[in-house]
Amino acid sequence: MTKDNINKGGKLIVFSAPSGSGKTTLVRHLLGLEKLNLEFSISATSREKRGTEIEGSDYYFLSAKAFKTKIKNEEFLEWEEVYRDNFYGTLKTEVERIWAKGKNVIFDIDVSGGLRIKRKFPEQTLAVFVKPPSIDELKIRLKKRKTESADKINMRVAKASAELATAPLFDVVIVNDNLDKALQQAEVLVSDFLKA
């Protein structure tokens, strides 16, 4: 993907947050609003599928070996080794696929990936950080999911503290302490950015 191709594309809307902050709920809401002309960027990951996740809909599931090969071949717009041999990333072909349809791309990705996209495409990207009301509330939300072990939850909470420190690097911070208010705020922000 050349830089020239990228500049002809649509806009990039990045939602990043510590796990359990509610960014996925906000992104799903925005995707349901036809007027925004958004399509979800499906991330690639080397982690195992969870619950009812679907290949090519929730994620592109790759082995760690396949993921590393794609890194070597520079097939990612951004990627991150979140935990040892646990990779997440955005394939360049995914953004090209969405732009070819004349749509804007919306991302639900980790903080590092979100900032990398913002750095690469500063004019085309709206980077939104979704902040939980508190670390304690975040821990409660993660436990309620019942998808991970206590150790995994503790790892995510420890990581969240570092991620919260990056909030000022984003264009906007939404504090998700009231879901209706957060949904409305997200809608206005994205709508205004797309009109600009």
Side-chain angles (χ1 to χ4, degrees):
M1 179 184 331
T2 65
K3 189 119 176 79
D4 294 335
N5 280 350
I6 278 292
N7 289 332
K8 290 177 191 155
K11 293 193 176 176
L12 305 164
I13 313 293
V14 167
F15 274 78
S16 296
S19 190
S21 297
K23 70 181 183 305
T24 305
T25 303
L26 296 180
V27 168
R28 284 191 183 134
H29 171 73
L30 295 169
L31 280 165
L33 303 172
E34 273 184 49
K35 65 180 180 181
L36 298 178
N37 193 32
L38 298 171
E39 184 157 337
F40 184 64
S41 170
I42 302 164
S43 296
T45 184
S46 65
R47 74 157 170 75
E48 295 293 314
K49 274 187 201 176
R50 286 187 203 137
T52 59
E53 288 179 332
I54 299 163
E55 165 70 28
S57 175
D58 294 299
Y59 286 96
Y60 297 115
F61 293 97
L62 305 170
S63 67
K65 187 181 174 190
F67 205 105
K68 288 175 187 173
T69 301
K70 288 188 182 294
I71 291 170
K72 208 163 116 185
N73 296 338
E74 297 185 8
E75 293 179 51
F76 286 101
L77 190 58
E78 59 78 31
W79 63 271
E80 174 84 8
E81 186 172 16
V82 181
Y83 306 107
R84 192 172 186 281
D85 271 348
N86 192 342
F87 295 93
Y88 287 85
T90 303
L91 291 159
K92 291 177 180 178
T93 52
E94 180 65 1
V95 173
E96 285 174 337
R97 177 185 74 78
I98 295 168
W99 277 348
K101 294 163 86 173
K103 290 184 170 259
N104 299 298
V105 186
I106 189 165
F107 299 86
D108 173 348
I109 59 176
D110 82 317
V111 169
S112 303
L115 290 172
R116 270 194 209 97
I117 289 171
K118 178 65 182 176
R119 274 196 299 274
K120 280 185 184 173
F121 312 107
E123 301 305 311
Q124 282 172 269
T125 306
L126 172 66
V128 181
F129 187 93
V130 182
K131 204 172 177 178
S134 68
I135 289 284
D136 289 341
E137 175 61 23
L138 192 70
K139 200 167 187 173
I140 291 164
R141 289 178 185 180
L142 289 169
K143 281 181 179 172
K144 277 184 186 167
R145 281 184 182 176
K146 294 183 178 160
T147 55
E148 292 170 326
S149 67
D151 284 350
K152 260 277 171 60
I153 289 170
N154 289 334
M155 272 168 63
R156 289 195 184 277
V157 170
K159 190 170 184 266
S161 299
E163 289 173 327
L164 286 168
T166 69
L169 302 173
F170 285 76
D171 296 318
V172 188
V173 176
I174 293 176
V175 179
N176 188 10
D177 55 357
N178 174 316
L179 185 58
D180 289 338
K181 197 174 122 200
L183 291 170
Q184 191 180 2
Q185 201 179 346
E187 196 175 318
V188 170
L189 283 168
V190 173
S191 186
D192 289 351
F193 177 73
L194 293 175
K195 284 178 200 157

